[in-house]
């Protein structure tokens, strides 16, 4: 890449910095309507070439497997991966602040001193829930694609859906069982030594 091209790129397209991460995650939070924060984060990060789909899938999977809100976990892990502790701190701040301010304002306006939402707001939220399902599904697509290259990935994913979605089994034993199976199936294989030409 020529120096003139590099100098003409926007700051956010250059190497990630804590300030750039803060701007990105504030934008992700403002656009993450319907629970689609991971999907918006993936587009923002891969579009800037800060992460590949495989790297995002790793961070997304870790965020899903750790306690706490997934979006906050994801922001912290991505921030730490790209810019260390400062990156993690500003990414979490960026993902939390817009939603917190918006919800405080929305609660003050819609509740108006009462305890229930107005009927028109309830109807709108029920309609928006349908769109939210599609938005959340887009966040899982990179993980599904990565599972195609993992030994037993599709089978493990199908078992997880069957156990948790259809049979509604307890999460913890299913999680322990499937993670154990994944570790066994994908354990490092020893490569055989090269043949001895002098034998």
């Amino acid at each position: 890449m020529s120096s003139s091209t590099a100098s003409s790129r926007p700051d956010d397209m250059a190497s990630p910095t804590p300030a750039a991460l803060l701007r990105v995650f504030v934008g992700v939070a403002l656009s993450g309507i319907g629970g689609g924060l991971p999907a918006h984060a993936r587009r923002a990060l891969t579009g800037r070439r800060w992460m590949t789909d495989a790297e995002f899938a790793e961070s997304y999977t870790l965020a899903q497997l750790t306690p706490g809100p997934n979006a906050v976990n994801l922001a912290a892990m991505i921030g730490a991966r790209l810019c260390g502790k400062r990156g993690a701190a500003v990414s979490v701040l960026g993902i939390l602040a817009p939603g917190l301010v918006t919800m405080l304002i929305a609660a003050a306006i819609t509740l108006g001193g009462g305890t229930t939402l107005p009927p028109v707001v309830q109807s709108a939220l029920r309609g928006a829930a349908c769109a939210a399902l599609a938005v959340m599904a887009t966040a899982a697509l990179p993980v599904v694609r990565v599972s195609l290259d993992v030994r037993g990935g599709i089978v493990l994913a199908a078992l997880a859906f069957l156990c948790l979605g259809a049979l509604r089994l307890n999460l913890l034993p299913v999680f322990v069982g499937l993670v154990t199976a994944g570790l066994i199936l994908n354990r490092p294989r020893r490569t055989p030594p090269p043949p001895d030409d002098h034998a």
Side-chain angles (χ1 to χ4, degrees):
M1 180 182 294
S2 66
S3 59
S4 62
T5 304
S7 61
S8 64
R9 290 200 314 177
D11 290 342
D12 283 353
M13 295 295 287
S15 298
T17 63
L21 278 172
L22 178 61
R23 289 194 299 271
V24 166
F25 277 101
V26 166
V28 166
L30 291 172
S31 60
I33 299 171
L37 289 170
H40 293 294
R42 181 182 70 85
R43 281 195 292 272
L45 295 163
T46 57
R48 289 169 172 78
R49 298 181 182 176
W50 290 353
M51 300 184 82
T52 64
D53 270 343
E55 290 169 340
F56 178 83
E58 290 174 0
S59 298
Y60 182 66
T61 301
L62 287 171
Q64 293 276 18
L65 298 180
T66 50
N70 293 335
V72 176
N73 294 346
L74 181 62
M77 290 179 180
I78 289 174
R81 185 169 190 161
L82 295 178
C83 290
K85 294 178 181 178
R86 288 185 63 199
V90 298
S91 296
V92 170
L93 175 64
I95 209 74
L96 285 178
L100 175 61
V101 173
T102 303
M103 284 306 302
L104 289 174
I105 295 172
I109 293 173
T110 56
L111 292 177
T115 57
T116 59
L117 294 173
V120 63
V121 176
Q122 294 178 12
S123 299
L125 291 176
R126 281 194 285 269
C130 301
L133 176 62
V135 174
M136 288 188 293
T138 62
L141 290 179
V143 180
V144 173
R145 284 198 292 266
V146 169
S147 70
L148 297 175
D149 298 326
V150 174
R151 191 177 296 112
I154 292 298
V155 174
L156 293 174
L159 285 173
F161 179 81
L162 175 65
C163 294
L164 300 175
L167 301 178
R168 299 188 180 277
L169 301 179
N170 189 281
L171 172 63
L172 185 58
V174 172
F175 170 74
V176 171
L178 292 179
V179 167
T180 302
L183 289 172
I184 293 172
L185 289 172
N186 293 278
R187 65 187 183 278
R189 304 294 176 93
R190 290 185 177 179
T191 55
D196 188 356
D197 295 335
H198 301 288

